[in-house]
Amino acid sequence: MICARRVFRCFRSLERFADRITGAAGPWFVGLALILMSMGTLSFFTIVQPTLPCPWLTTPPCIWIALNMFMHYYYVCTIPPGFVGDPFPLPGSGLLWASPSPSQLSSSSVEIIKARMSRCKKCGEMRPERAHHCRVCNKCVLKFDHHCPVRINQCVGIHNERHFVLFMAYLVLSTLILNVFGFHRALDALGVTLVPWMHAMPAFGFLMSYMLSIVLCLAVFIMLVWHIWGIAKGETSVEAQDHEIYRKVAKERGEASPSTFQCQEPLLSNLFRLFKRTNLILFFNIGLNGYPLYTLLIPLRVMPYTDGSSWARRDGLQRHRGVREGEELTDEEEDEDGEEIQ
């Protein structure tokens, strides 16, 4: 994506500003998010849902969507993102854990190779490819995407990134349903229809929930589309920024022409960029070599397809084409970082 670096810088600036304001108030913001989501859910099930046709048919899907939204939010807030040096967690066997598919995929198009290691100059840890240093946690995170101080109060990494994306998906779906089917109730609350407000929740409270759902639906939908597009390209938010820098460096060296960059097929190639479908399958870890498709519909815990020490790569590529040894960026602030490649 052409403006990936600009979008990431915008997110990072907002997060830095939030760090200064929130400080240790992260858990309070998580609690506030739970209160707001609960208010929206209560508004829907007490005011909107009773007016839907065929309650016996429409109620179960609404409960299912709300359950997925809350459970994935719980997972993304409580599951550690995966810090370098921490023991790799083993899959559980309880009711909240999904069982992997019994068969395995054997395909020459997906090659999983041991990651190269580098030493972080901020914390001194040896870390594999795709790990970045989080300046807030002061630790290196496996497949670091970003640190989210307000929404989840921790990093998004290899172990909770799947739940983060699914939470956004079900949040968008929940708010969209409230916006569409709650429109006439919002008119009632405003007094436009002259229908008396007979609900236990005050009209002002419902209007606040309704307007917040509109804002969240639009904002989170944009974030969701951007994340899904990055997943399909095989890159995280911070890697999208890094790849923009790589392209700029390669262009300055004369290794790619301007027309090449305009068609988004530069000499620089992301070695983790497989086919879009393959990248999505690996991210959600579904299919013959992962978990069943129903894990996208039922809020169950699943393991990533790798422990972070090896990654699926494009055939014939051992590093990003167009990037020379020692140029890899593996920290959040590229202008202050460096690393030793081994």
Side-chain angles (χ1 to χ4, degrees), residues 15-62:
E15 289 171 359
R16 287 176 177 174
F17 178 71
D19 290 340
R20 298 188 184 98
I21 295 178
T22 59
W28 295 96
F29 279 91
V30 172
L32 178 62
L34 283 172
I35 292 174
L36 294 176
M37 287 192 299
S38 300
M39 286 183 58
T41 305
L42 184 64
S43 299
F44 177 81
F45 281 101
T46 59
I47 300 175
V48 180
Q49 193 275 331
T51 65
L52 297 180
C54 303
W56 59 272
L57 185 62
T58 56
T59 300
C62 295

mmCIF file of all heavy atoms in Angstrom, residues 15-62:
data_model
loop_
_atom_site.group_PDB
_atom_site.id
_atom_site.type_symbol
_atom_site.label_atom_id
_atom_site.label_comp_id
_atom_site.label_asym_id
_atom_site.label_seq_id
_atom_site.Cartn_x
_atom_site.Cartn_y
_atom_site.Cartn_z
ATOM 1 N N GLU A 15 -0.602 6.853 19.306
ATOM 2 C CA GLU A 15 -0.261 6.003 20.431
ATOM 3 C C GLU A 15 0.723 6.702 21.374
ATOM 4 O O GLU A 15 0.626 6.569 22.595
ATOM 5 C CB GLU A 15 0.323 4.689 19.919
ATOM 6 C CG GLU A 15 -0.731 3.803 19.273
ATOM 7 C CD GLU A 15 -0.135 2.605 18.574
ATOM 8 O OE1 GLU A 15 1.118 2.488 18.586
ATOM 9 O OE2 GLU A 15 -0.896 1.794 18.030
ATOM 10 N N ARG A 16 1.682 7.442 20.826
ATOM 11 C CA ARG A 16 2.606 8.184 21.681
ATOM 12 C C ARG A 16 1.863 9.237 22.492
ATOM 13 O O ARG A 16 2.120 9.423 23.684
ATOM 14 C CB ARG A 16 3.682 8.848 20.818
ATOM 15 C CG ARG A 16 4.713 7.884 20.259
ATOM 16 C CD ARG A 16 5.675 8.627 19.339
ATOM 17 N NE ARG A 16 6.715 7.754 18.843
ATOM 18 C CZ ARG A 16 7.624 8.110 17.940
ATOM 19 N NH1 ARG A 16 7.572 9.343 17.442
ATOM 20 N NH2 ARG A 16 8.540 7.266 17.539
ATOM 21 N N PHE A 17 0.919 9.915 21.832
ATOM 22 C CA PHE A 17 0.122 10.908 22.552
ATOM 23 C C PHE A 17 -0.706 10.242 23.640
ATOM 24 O O PHE A 17 -0.827 10.754 24.753
ATOM 25 C CB PHE A 17 -0.778 11.638 21.552
ATOM 26 C CG PHE A 17 -1.680 12.670 22.182
ATOM 27 C CD1 PHE A 17 -1.160 13.857 22.689
ATOM 28 C CD2 PHE A 17 -3.038 12.452 22.287
ATOM 29 C CE1 PHE A 17 -1.979 14.799 23.275
ATOM 30 C CE2 PHE A 17 -3.872 13.387 22.862
ATOM 31 C CZ PHE A 17 -3.342 14.566 23.363
ATOM 32 N N ALA A 18 -1.258 9.061 23.307
ATOM 33 C CA ALA A 18 -2.046 8.336 24.309
ATOM 34 C C ALA A 18 -1.173 7.873 25.463
ATOM 35 O O ALA A 18 -1.617 7.862 26.620
ATOM 36 C CB ALA A 18 -2.738 7.139 23.652
ATOM 37 N N ASP A 19 0.076 7.490 25.173
ATOM 38 C CA ASP A 19 0.975 7.071 26.252
ATOM 39 C C ASP A 19 1.180 8.191 27.258
ATOM 40 O O ASP A 19 1.197 7.961 28.473
ATOM 41 C CB ASP A 19 2.332 6.643 25.679
ATOM 42 C CG ASP A 19 2.223 5.342 24.913
ATOM 43 O OD1 ASP A 19 1.234 4.611 25.137
ATOM 44 O OD2 ASP A 19 3.111 5.072 24.091
ATOM 45 N N ARG A 20 1.365 9.409 26.757
ATOM 46 C CA ARG A 20 1.609 10.530 27.655
ATOM 47 C C ARG A 20 0.385 10.825 28.520
ATOM 48 O O ARG A 20 0.501 11.238 29.669
ATOM 49 C CB ARG A 20 1.994 11.775 26.848
ATOM 50 C CG ARG A 20 3.288 11.619 26.045
ATOM 51 C CD ARG A 20 3.712 12.941 25.437
ATOM 52 N NE ARG A 20 4.891 12.798 24.602
ATOM 53 C CZ ARG A 20 4.875 12.687 23.290
ATOM 54 N NH1 ARG A 20 3.704 12.685 22.663
ATOM 55 N NH2 ARG A 20 5.979 12.567 22.597
ATOM 56 N N ILE A 21 -0.800 10.652 27.933
ATOM 57 C CA ILE A 21 -2.021 10.975 28.665
ATOM 58 C C ILE A 21 -2.410 9.860 29.622
ATOM 59 O O ILE A 21 -2.724 10.080 30.789
ATOM 60 C CB ILE A 21 -3.181 11.250 27.684
ATOM 61 C CG1 ILE A 21 -2.875 12.508 26.866
ATOM 62 C CG2 ILE A 21 -4.499 11.423 28.422
ATOM 63 C CD1 ILE A 21 -3.936 12.835 25.843
ATOM 64 N N THR A 22 -2.366 8.614 29.114
ATOM 65 C CA THR A 22 -2.883 7.509 29.916
ATOM 66 C C THR A 22 -1.920 7.085 31.013
ATOM 67 O O THR A 22 -2.324 6.846 32.141
ATOM 68 C CB THR A 22 -3.201 6.316 29.005
ATOM 69 O OG1 THR A 22 -2.004 5.912 28.325
ATOM 70 C CG2 THR A 22 -4.258 6.692 27.995
ATOM 71 N N GLY A 23 -0.634 6.924 30.656
ATOM 72 C CA GLY A 23 0.308 6.442 31.647
ATOM 73 C C GLY A 23 -0.115 5.077 32.149
ATOM 74 O O GLY A 23 -0.201 4.107 31.408
ATOM 75 N N ALA A 24 -0.398 5.007 33.435
ATOM 76 C CA ALA A 24 -0.809 3.746 34.057
ATOM 77 C C ALA A 24 -2.320 3.558 34.009
ATOM 78 O O ALA A 24 -2.854 2.690 34.680
ATOM 79 C CB ALA A 24 -0.324 3.701 35.501
ATOM 80 N N ALA A 25 -3.012 4.375 33.224
ATOM 81 C CA ALA A 25 -4.477 4.301 33.193
ATOM 82 C C ALA A 25 -4.991 3.324 32.159
ATOM 83 O O ALA A 25 -6.190 3.297 31.887
ATOM 84 C CB ALA A 25 -5.056 5.693 32.918
ATOM 85 N N GLY A 26 -4.091 2.512 31.581
ATOM 86 C CA GLY A 26 -4.513 1.558 30.570
ATOM 87 C C GLY A 26 -5.642 0.653 31.023
ATOM 88 O O GLY A 26 -6.638 0.487 30.317
ATOM 89 N N PRO A 27 -5.539 0.005 32.217
ATOM 90 C CA PRO A 27 -6.646 -0.857 32.665
ATOM 91 C C PRO A 27 -7.959 -0.108 32.803
ATOM 92 O O PRO A 27 -9.034 -0.690 32.586
ATOM 93 C CB PRO A 27 -6.141 -1.376 34.022
ATOM 94 C CG PRO A 27 -4.650 -1.298 33.932
ATOM 95 C CD PRO A 27 -4.372 -0.086 33.108
ATOM 96 N N TRP A 28 -7.904 1.169 33.168
ATOM 97 C CA TRP A 28 -9.144 1.940 33.283
ATOM 98 C C TRP A 28 -9.786 2.146 31.912
ATOM 99 O O TRP A 28 -11.025 2.128 31.790
ATOM 100 C CB TRP A 28 -8.864 3.291 33.936
ATOM 101 C CG TRP A 28 -8.402 3.161 35.357
ATOM 102 C CD1 TRP A 28 -7.111 3.160 35.805
ATOM 103 C CD2 TRP A 28 -9.230 2.997 36.516
ATOM 104 N NE1 TRP A 28 -7.073 3.010 37.167
ATOM 105 C CE2 TRP A 28 -8.360 2.914 37.637
ATOM 106 C CE3 TRP A 28 -10.604 2.909 36.722
ATOM 107 C CZ2 TRP A 28 -8.833 2.752 38.927
ATOM 108 C CZ3 TRP A 28 -11.079 2.747 38.017
ATOM 109 C CH2 TRP A 28 -10.204 2.662 39.095
ATOM 110 N N PHE A 29 -8.965 2.333 30.884
ATOM 111 C CA PHE A 29 -9.515 2.498 29.547
ATOM 112 C C PHE A 29 -10.096 1.185 29.034
ATOM 113 O O PHE A 29 -11.086 1.187 28.299
ATOM 114 C CB PHE A 29 -8.444 3.020 28.591
ATOM 115 C CG PHE A 29 -8.237 4.501 28.690
ATOM 116 C CD1 PHE A 29 -7.294 5.029 29.550
ATOM 117 C CD2 PHE A 29 -8.988 5.367 27.922
ATOM 118 C CE1 PHE A 29 -7.108 6.397 29.652
ATOM 119 C CE2 PHE A 29 -8.808 6.737 28.003
ATOM 120 C CZ PHE A 29 -7.870 7.263 28.883
ATOM 121 N N VAL A 30 -9.475 0.058 29.392
ATOM 122 C CA VAL A 30 -10.052 -1.232 29.035
ATOM 123 C C VAL A 30 -11.408 -1.392 29.708
ATOM 124 O O VAL A 30 -12.382 -1.850 29.095
ATOM 125 C CB VAL A 30 -9.103 -2.379 29.417
ATOM 126 C CG1 VAL A 30 -9.789 -3.732 29.234
ATOM 127 C CG2 VAL A 30 -7.833 -2.326 28.578
ATOM 128 N N GLY A 31 -11.486 -1.002 30.987
ATOM 129 C CA GLY A 31 -12.764 -1.048 31.681
ATOM 130 C C GLY A 31 -13.806 -0.142 31.040
ATOM 131 O O GLY A 31 -14.980 -0.509 30.928
ATOM 132 N N LEU A 32 -13.365 1.049 30.606
ATOM 133 C CA LEU A 32 -14.287 1.963 29.920
ATOM 134 C C LEU A 32 -14.779 1.363 28.612
ATOM 135 O O LEU A 32 -15.967 1.483 28.270
ATOM 136 C CB LEU A 32 -13.588 3.300 29.665
ATOM 137 C CG LEU A 32 -14.393 4.360 28.906
ATOM 138 C CD1 LEU A 32 -15.648 4.745 29.683
ATOM 139 C CD2 LEU A 32 -13.527 5.591 28.630
ATOM 140 N N ALA A 33 -13.876 0.697 27.886
ATOM 141 C CA ALA A 33 -14.290 0.055 26.636
ATOM 142 C C ALA A 33 -15.330 -1.022 26.900
ATOM 143 O O ALA A 33 -16.311 -1.157 26.152
ATOM 144 C CB ALA A 33 -13.075 -0.536 25.924
ATOM 145 N N LEU A 34 -15.140 -1.787 27.963
ATOM 146 C CA LEU A 34 -16.121 -2.819 28.310
ATOM 147 C C LEU A 34 -17.471 -2.201 28.666
ATOM 148 O O LEU A 34 -18.526 -2.728 28.282
ATOM 149 C CB LEU A 34 -15.602 -3.658 29.477
ATOM 150 C CG LEU A 34 -14.544 -4.711 29.143
ATOM 151 C CD1 LEU A 34 -13.991 -5.333 30.420
ATOM 152 C CD2 LEU A 34 -15.130 -5.786 28.235
ATOM 153 N N ILE A 35 -17.449 -1.084 29.379
ATOM 154 C CA ILE A 35 -18.704 -0.412 29.743
ATOM 155 C C ILE A 35 -19.433 0.081 28.495
ATOM 156 O O ILE A 35 -20.650 -0.101 28.346
ATOM 157 C CB ILE A 35 -18.419 0.752 30.706
ATOM 158 C CG1 ILE A 35 -17.932 0.214 32.064
ATOM 159 C CG2 ILE A 35 -19.666 1.617 30.895
ATOM 160 C CD1 ILE A 35 -17.485 1.297 33.029
ATOM 161 N N LEU A 36 -18.682 0.691 27.569
ATOM 162 C CA LEU A 36 -19.310 1.206 26.351
ATOM 163 C C LEU A 36 -19.868 0.082 25.486
ATOM 164 O O LEU A 36 -20.971 0.200 24.931
ATOM 165 C CB LEU A 36 -18.299 2.037 25.565
ATOM 166 C CG LEU A 36 -17.827 3.327 26.245
ATOM 167 C CD1 LEU A 36 -16.765 4.015 25.409
ATOM 168 C CD2 LEU A 36 -19.002 4.269 26.485
ATOM 169 N N MET A 37 -19.107 -1.016 25.363
ATOM 170 C CA MET A 37 -19.619 -2.139 24.584
ATOM 171 C C MET A 37 -20.845 -2.749 25.256
ATOM 172 O O MET A 37 -21.797 -3.160 24.579
ATOM 173 C CB MET A 37 -18.520 -3.194 24.403
ATOM 174 C CG MET A 37 -17.437 -2.794 23.430
ATOM 175 S SD MET A 37 -16.348 -4.168 22.957
ATOM 176 C CE MET A 37 -15.644 -4.612 24.541
ATOM 177 N N SER A 38 -20.825 -2.812 26.578
ATOM 178 C CA SER A 38 -21.974 -3.360 27.298
ATOM 179 C C SER A 38 -23.204 -2.472 27.131
ATOM 180 O O SER A 38 -24.325 -2.973 26.983
ATOM 181 C CB SER A 38 -21.630 -3.518 28.785
ATOM 182 O OG SER A 38 -20.533 -4.389 28.971
ATOM 183 N N MET A 39 -22.993 -1.147 27.141
ATOM 184 C CA MET A 39 -24.114 -0.229 26.929
ATOM 185 C C MET A 39 -24.718 -0.406 25.536
ATOM 186 O O MET A 39 -25.945 -0.427 25.374
ATOM 187 C CB MET A 39 -23.659 1.216 27.125
ATOM 188 C CG MET A 39 -23.430 1.623 28.559
ATOM 189 S SD MET A 39 -22.969 3.369 28.682
ATOM 190 C CE MET A 39 -24.377 4.148 27.888
ATOM 191 N N GLY A 40 -23.865 -0.549 24.537
ATOM 192 C CA GLY A 40 -24.364 -0.765 23.187
ATOM 193 C C GLY A 40 -25.119 -2.079 23.061
ATOM 194 O O GLY A 40 -26.172 -2.150 22.410
ATOM 195 N N THR A 41 -24.567 -3.125 23.701
ATOM 196 C CA THR A 41 -25.238 -4.430 23.668
ATOM 197 C C THR A 41 -26.574 -4.364 24.386
ATOM 198 O O THR A 41 -27.588 -4.906 23.896
ATOM 199 C CB THR A 41 -24.340 -5.501 24.312
ATOM 200 O OG1 THR A 41 -23.069 -5.513 23.656
ATOM 201 C CG2 THR A 41 -24.981 -6.871 24.213
ATOM 202 N N LEU A 42 -26.592 -3.702 25.545
ATOM 203 C CA LEU A 42 -27.847 -3.558 26.289
ATOM 204 C C LEU A 42 -28.874 -2.750 25.495
ATOM 205 O O LEU A 42 -30.067 -3.083 25.477
ATOM 206 C CB LEU A 42 -27.571 -2.896 27.638
ATOM 207 C CG LEU A 42 -28.752 -2.743 28.589
ATOM 208 C CD1 LEU A 42 -29.266 -4.117 29.011
ATOM 209 C CD2 LEU A 42 -28.357 -1.923 29.810
ATOM 210 N N SER A 43 -28.413 -1.703 24.828
ATOM 211 C CA SER A 43 -29.312 -0.891 24.006
ATOM 212 C C SER A 43 -29.955 -1.724 22.910
ATOM 213 O O SER A 43 -31.156 -1.603 22.633
ATOM 214 C CB SER A 43 -28.556 0.285 23.390
ATOM 215 O OG SER A 43 -28.015 1.127 24.374
ATOM 216 N N PHE A 44 -29.154 -2.587 22.305
ATOM 217 C CA PHE A 44 -29.692 -3.396 21.206
ATOM 218 C C PHE A 44 -30.698 -4.424 21.713
ATOM 219 O O PHE A 44 -31.805 -4.544 21.162
ATOM 220 C CB PHE A 44 -28.557 -4.105 20.468
ATOM 221 C CG PHE A 44 -29.029 -5.011 19.369
ATOM 222 C CD1 PHE A 44 -29.364 -4.497 18.128
ATOM 223 C CD2 PHE A 44 -29.155 -6.377 19.585
ATOM 224 C CE1 PHE A 44 -29.819 -5.327 17.119
ATOM 225 C CE2 PHE A 44 -29.608 -7.213 18.584
ATOM 226 C CZ PHE A 44 -29.947 -6.690 17.344
ATOM 227 N N PHE A 45 -30.329 -5.180 22.756
ATOM 228 C CA PHE A 45 -31.175 -6.298 23.172
ATOM 229 C C PHE A 45 -32.423 -5.846 23.943
ATOM 230 O O PHE A 45 -33.386 -6.599 24.028
ATOM 231 C CB PHE A 45 -30.370 -7.283 24.015
ATOM 232 C CG PHE A 45 -29.500 -8.198 23.205
ATOM 233 C CD1 PHE A 45 -28.141 -7.961 23.087
ATOM 234 C CD2 PHE A 45 -30.042 -9.275 22.525
ATOM 235 C CE1 PHE A 45 -27.336 -8.795 22.328
ATOM 236 C CE2 PHE A 45 -29.247 -10.112 21.762
ATOM 237 C CZ PHE A 45 -27.883 -9.871 21.656
ATOM 238 N N THR A 46 -32.401 -4.640 24.505
ATOM 239 C CA THR A 46 -33.586 -4.178 25.231
ATOM 240 C C THR A 46 -34.494 -3.277 24.403
ATOM 241 O O THR A 46 -35.685 -3.155 24.706
ATOM 242 C CB THR A 46 -33.163 -3.420 26.503
ATOM 243 O OG1 THR A 46 -32.352 -2.294 26.142
ATOM 244 C CG2 THR A 46 -32.401 -4.339 27.443
ATOM 245 N N ILE A 47 -33.947 -2.654 23.369
ATOM 246 C CA ILE A 47 -34.734 -1.683 22.604
ATOM 247 C C ILE A 47 -34.922 -2.100 21.151
ATOM 248 O O ILE A 47 -36.036 -2.030 20.616
ATOM 249 C CB ILE A 47 -34.080 -0.286 22.681
ATOM 250 C CG1 ILE A 47 -34.012 0.188 24.141
ATOM 251 C CG2 ILE A 47 -34.817 0.717 21.813
ATOM 252 C CD1 ILE A 47 -33.285 1.493 24.343
ATOM 253 N N VAL A 48 -33.837 -2.540 20.488
ATOM 254 C CA VAL A 48 -33.896 -2.827 19.056
ATOM 255 C C VAL A 48 -34.346 -4.259 18.788
ATOM 256 O O VAL A 48 -35.255 -4.492 17.982
ATOM 257 C CB VAL A 48 -32.534 -2.560 18.393
ATOM 258 C CG1 VAL A 48 -32.601 -2.868 16.899
ATOM 259 C CG2 VAL A 48 -32.106 -1.114 18.622
ATOM 260 N N GLN A 49 -33.729 -5.213 19.463
ATOM 261 C CA GLN A 49 -33.999 -6.614 19.149
ATOM 262 C C GLN A 49 -35.465 -7.011 19.337
ATOM 263 O O GLN A 49 -35.999 -7.774 18.510
ATOM 264 C CB GLN A 49 -33.077 -7.507 19.994
ATOM 265 C CG GLN A 49 -33.040 -8.954 19.559
ATOM 266 C CD GLN A 49 -34.163 -9.768 20.151
ATOM 267 O OE1 GLN A 49 -34.637 -9.445 21.260
ATOM 268 N NE2 GLN A 49 -34.600 -10.809 19.445
ATOM 269 N N PRO A 50 -36.184 -6.528 20.358
ATOM 270 C CA PRO A 50 -37.603 -6.912 20.485
ATOM 271 C C PRO A 50 -38.471 -6.468 19.317
ATOM 272 O O PRO A 50 -39.563 -7.016 19.117
ATOM 273 C CB PRO A 50 -38.029 -6.215 21.785
ATOM 274 C CG PRO A 50 -36.775 -6.070 22.570
ATOM 275 C CD PRO A 50 -35.718 -5.784 21.546
ATOM 276 N N THR A 51 -38.020 -5.497 18.536
ATOM 277 C CA THR A 51 -38.820 -5.020 17.409
ATOM 278 C C THR A 51 -38.504 -5.767 16.115
ATOM 279 O O THR A 51 -39.169 -5.518 15.098
ATOM 280 C CB THR A 51 -38.565 -3.518 17.178
ATOM 281 O OG1 THR A 51 -37.190 -3.320 16.788
ATOM 282 C CG2 THR A 51 -38.833 -2.715 18.451
ATOM 283 N N LEU A 52 -37.497 -6.652 16.123
ATOM 284 C CA LEU A 52 -37.141 -7.389 14.916
ATOM 285 C C LEU A 52 -38.179 -8.473 14.631
ATOM 286 O O LEU A 52 -38.746 -9.059 15.557
ATOM 287 C CB LEU A 52 -35.750 -8.020 15.066
ATOM 288 C CG LEU A 52 -34.579 -7.056 15.248
ATOM 289 C CD1 LEU A 52 -33.279 -7.837 15.385
ATOM 290 C CD2 LEU A 52 -34.484 -6.070 14.097
ATOM 291 N N PRO A 53 -38.408 -8.779 13.371
ATOM 292 C CA PRO A 53 -39.348 -9.863 13.034
ATOM 293 C C PRO A 53 -38.766 -11.232 13.374
ATOM 294 O O PRO A 53 -37.541 -11.415 13.380
ATOM 295 C CB PRO A 53 -39.550 -9.702 11.527
ATOM 296 C CG PRO A 53 -38.303 -9.044 11.049
ATOM 297 C CD PRO A 53 -37.868 -8.134 12.166
ATOM 298 N N CYS A 54 -39.627 -12.172 13.667
ATOM 299 C CA CYS A 54 -39.229 -13.559 13.961
ATOM 300 C C CYS A 54 -38.147 -13.609 15.042
ATOM 301 O O CYS A 54 -36.994 -13.981 14.761
ATOM 302 C CB CYS A 54 -38.738 -14.268 12.709
ATOM 303 S SG CYS A 54 -39.910 -14.312 11.345
ATOM 304 N N PRO A 55 -38.478 -13.230 16.280
ATOM 305 C CA PRO A 55 -37.464 -13.216 17.349
ATOM 306 C C PRO A 55 -36.771 -14.563 17.533
ATOM 307 O O PRO A 55 -35.572 -14.610 17.831
ATOM 308 C CB PRO A 55 -38.275 -12.823 18.581
ATOM 309 C CG PRO A 55 -39.473 -12.119 18.045
ATOM 310 C CD PRO A 55 -39.792 -12.780 16.747
ATOM 311 N N TRP A 56 -37.495 -15.646 17.346
ATOM 312 C CA TRP A 56 -36.896 -16.971 17.523
ATOM 313 C C TRP A 56 -35.802 -17.240 16.488
ATOM 314 O O TRP A 56 -34.921 -18.080 16.700
ATOM 315 C CB TRP A 56 -37.979 -18.037 17.404
ATOM 316 C CG TRP A 56 -38.696 -18.026 16.079
ATOM 317 C CD1 TRP A 56 -39.789 -17.295 15.744
ATOM 318 C CD2 TRP A 56 -38.344 -18.778 14.916
ATOM 319 N NE1 TRP A 56 -40.159 -17.523 14.439
ATOM 320 C CE2 TRP A 56 -39.295 -18.448 13.904
ATOM 321 C CE3 TRP A 56 -37.338 -19.696 14.616
ATOM 322 C CZ2 TRP A 56 -39.249 -18.995 12.633
ATOM 323 C CZ3 TRP A 56 -37.293 -20.244 13.345
ATOM 324 C CH2 TRP A 56 -38.237 -19.905 12.374
ATOM 325 N N LEU A 57 -35.861 -16.519 15.368
ATOM 326 C CA LEU A 57 -34.879 -16.703 14.309
ATOM 327 C C LEU A 57 -33.758 -15.670 14.367
ATOM 328 O O LEU A 57 -32.604 -15.980 14.060
ATOM 329 C CB LEU A 57 -35.577 -16.637 12.942
ATOM 330 C CG LEU A 57 -34.723 -16.934 11.709
ATOM 331 C CD1 LEU A 57 -34.187 -18.365 11.760
ATOM 332 C CD2 LEU A 57 -35.529 -16.714 10.436
ATOM 333 N N THR A 58 -34.077 -14.447 14.777
ATOM 334 C CA THR A 58 -33.074 -13.372 14.766
ATOM 335 C C THR A 58 -32.281 -13.278 16.067
ATOM 336 O O THR A 58 -31.161 -12.762 16.065
ATOM 337 C CB THR A 58 -33.765 -12.022 14.507
ATOM 338 O OG1 THR A 58 -34.781 -11.811 15.497
ATOM 339 C CG2 THR A 58 -34.400 -12.004 13.124
ATOM 340 N N THR A 59 -32.834 -13.766 17.177
ATOM 341 C CA THR A 59 -32.137 -13.637 18.458
ATOM 342 C C THR A 59 -30.845 -14.452 18.534
ATOM 343 O O THR A 59 -29.804 -13.934 18.960
ATOM 344 C CB THR A 59 -33.071 -14.017 19.617
ATOM 345 O OG1 THR A 59 -34.210 -13.145 19.600
ATOM 346 C CG2 THR A 59 -32.355 -13.882 20.957
ATOM 347 N N PRO A 60 -30.839 -15.738 18.131
ATOM 348 C CA PRO A 60 -29.583 -16.518 18.223
ATOM 349 C C PRO A 60 -28.412 -15.901 17.458
ATOM 350 O O PRO A 60 -27.299 -15.824 18.018
ATOM 351 C CB PRO A 60 -29.981 -17.889 17.661
ATOM 352 C CG PRO A 60 -31.442 -17.991 17.923
ATOM 353 C CD PRO A 60 -31.974 -16.604 17.740
ATOM 354 N N PRO A 61 -28.575 -15.438 16.200
ATOM 355 C CA PRO A 61 -27.417 -14.817 15.537
ATOM 356 C C PRO A 61 -26.922 -13.563 16.255
ATOM 357 O O PRO A 61 -25.706 -13.319 16.300
ATOM 358 C CB PRO A 61 -27.950 -14.475 14.138
ATOM 359 C CG PRO A 61 -29.097 -15.374 13.922
ATOM 360 C CD PRO A 61 -29.713 -15.566 15.266
ATOM 361 N N CYS A 62 -27.837 -12.782 16.832
ATOM 362 C CA CYS A 62 -27.422 -11.578 17.551
ATOM 363 C C CYS A 62 -26.605 -11.943 18.795
ATOM 364 O O CYS A 62 -25.589 -11.299 19.100
ATOM 365 C CB CYS A 62 -28.642 -10.748 17.937
ATOM 366 S SG CYS A 62 -29.553 -10.064 16.522
#
